Amino acid sequence: AHVDTYNKFLTDEVAEICKVLPNNKLPVYPQKYAGNIFFKDIINCKLLLTDYNGKSCSLNFVVNEIRDSSTTAALHSCNLPLELKGQDFFLQIPSNGFYQDVHLEAPLKSRQKIKNVIGDVFEFSEVPMPLGKPATIVISKPKVSIRLRNKLCIVSVDKKNNLSYIGGQYQNGKVTSKIDRIERLAVAIDTLPPVISNAFFFFFDSITMQNRIMIKVSDNLSGISDYSAYVNNKWELMEFEPKKGAFYITVPSAGYQQKSRLIVEATDRRNNKSVKEITLE
């Protein structure tokens, strides 16, 4: 409710919306209509930003025209539930799901060659529209073999056709998932397990002198859901840093002997599993 999603979609820059949207329920505003302007004449404005340490900066600017582009006939009230149905899709949005009134119709469908995507891409909105409450999306799929059904998932497709995993479950020829924004959606399949690299040492070449070990991990789509490590058949605590795609193992004070055997296991959200054995030298 604070980010201009249209501007972010076009420019990849984050711009703040200087008004309170109708379904913004945050109780942090000092007055009922904070940030909203209801005049159409020239207005001298000052924007003041202050951080928690009391340091501030300001910007003076002039607003010389405010256009009201609302068309009530084409808008759906954000206070009401909304359902869109088609032969191969169903979208259900609860009451107060949107932050403001929206114009939303049946999606545009397109068949594109996008890696891992099966079937059509459903463009419910060119620009992602955030939701204040989760909606439900159901997309029908042709028959697939039983062994692949749990590999299907709902994904979002950005303007460069990059995929972002959302989730979902397959049942009776359909994939169903909760979503937190309206955008381009599709069904994808994830059959590839995570990739686990060799171990990286931080300071010395020998394992006998290490205090920390890093193992890089990557996954093609759904992301890591579970992981574990064993050194000489003993379970070891392992931390995962998703931003770096790496596991970290803290070496005990007694250290590891050379030729110790490290086994790393990683499973993604579609239950694809990798196991890698590494000899620590």
Side-chain angles (χ1 to χ4, degrees):
H2 279 266
V3 174
D4 185 341
T5 54
Y6 186 77
N7 180 77
K8 184 178 179 181
F9 178 82
L10 293 177
T11 66
D12 291 326
E13 296 179 347
V14 177
E16 294 287 334
I17 299 176
C18 293
K19 68 177 181 178
V20 182
L21 299 184
N23 264 339
N24 183 348
K25 305 300 184 182
L26 291 176
V28 298
Y29 310 105
Q31 49 187 318
K32 184 177 180 180
Y33 298 107
N36 290 294
I37 300 173
F38 297 97
F39 306 97
K40 294 187 177 181
D41 298 326
I42 295 176
I43 308 167
N44 294 311
C45 299
K46 181 177 182 179
L47 181 66
L48 178 66
L49 301 178
T50 307
D51 66 16
Y52 281 104
N53 289 326
K55 297 181 179 179
S56 63
C57 64
S58 62
L59 174 69
N60 294 303
F61 60 95
V62 174
V63 175
N64 55 27
E65 183 179 8
I66 299 177
R67 298 178 181 177
D68 185 2
S69 59
S70 62
T71 54
T72 55
L75 291 179
H76 172 78
S77 171
C78 60
N79 299 317
L80 300 177
L82 175 64
E83 291 186 356
L84 296 179
K85 297 180 181 180
Q87 185 176 0
D88 48 6
F89 77 91
F90 173 62
L91 177 65
Q92 184 180 49
I93 302 167
S95 303
N96 300 309
F98 291 105
Y99 287 107
Q100 59 185 333
D101 296 349
V102 298
H103 175 69
L104 194 65
E105 297 178 333
L108 299 175
K109 295 194 299 183
S110 61
R111 186 65 60 94
Q112 305 178 43
K113 291 184 178 180
I114 304 175
K115 187 177 180 180
N116 297 319
V117 168
I118 300 176
D120 293 323
V121 175
F122 294 80
E123 186 174 302
F124 289 92
S125 176
E126 178 186 6
V127 179
M129 300 167 58
L131 296 170
K133 293 182 179 180
T136 300
I137 180 66
V138 181
I139 299 179
S140 301
K141 291 311 306 166
K143 293 181 179 180
V144 295
S145 63
I146 294 177
R147 68 181 184 86
L148 293 178
R149 290 177 181 176
N150 67 343
K151 308 299 181 183
L152 298 177
C153 58
I154 300 291
V155 296
S156 64
V157 185
D158 70 10
K159 60 185 177 182
K160 296 180 181 179
N161 287 338
N162 296 315
L163 306 183
S164 294
Y165 174 82
I166 295 176
Q169 298 294 328
Y170 176 93
Q171 187 175 13
N172 299 327
K174 301 176 181 179
V175 184
T176 303
S177 180
K178 294 291 186 180
I179 56 174
D180 60 9
R181 60 181 183 173
I182 306 300
E183 53 192 326
R184 298 174 71 207
L185 301 169
V187 170
I189 186 167
D190 182 2
T191 59
L192 297 179
V195 176
I196 305 172
S197 74
N198 288 321
F200 295 92
F201 300 150
F202 277 78
F203 300 109
F204 305 100
D205 293 333
S206 172
I207 185 56
T208 60
M209 305 176 68
Q210 292 301 312
N211 58 13
R212 207 173 186 213
I213 301 171
M214 180 179 73
I215 302 99
K216 298 284 287 185
V217 181
S218 61
D219 187 70
N220 70 309
L221 182 58
S222 61
I224 305 299
S225 65
D226 192 21
Y227 52 89
S228 57
Y230 303 85
V231 177
N232 298 329
N233 297 321
K234 179 184 176 183
W235 180 85
E236 294 287 348
L237 178 64
M238 187 164 56
E239 300 177 30
F240 181 53
E241 174 48 67
K243 292 182 179 180
K244 296 182 179 179
F247 292 133
Y248 292 96
I249 301 174
T250 300
V251 178
S253 57
Y256 296 135
Q257 296 180 351
Q258 284 192 331
K259 303 296 183 180
S260 291
R261 187 179 65 156
L262 168 63
I263 296 178
V264 177
E265 301 175 352
T267 306
D268 67 16
R269 292 190 179 102
R270 294 291 98 176
N271 205 32
N272 300 302
K273 184 176 181 179
S274 289
V275 179
K276 188 177 184 69
E277 183 174 332
I278 303 169
T279 301
L280 302 175
E281 301 184 15

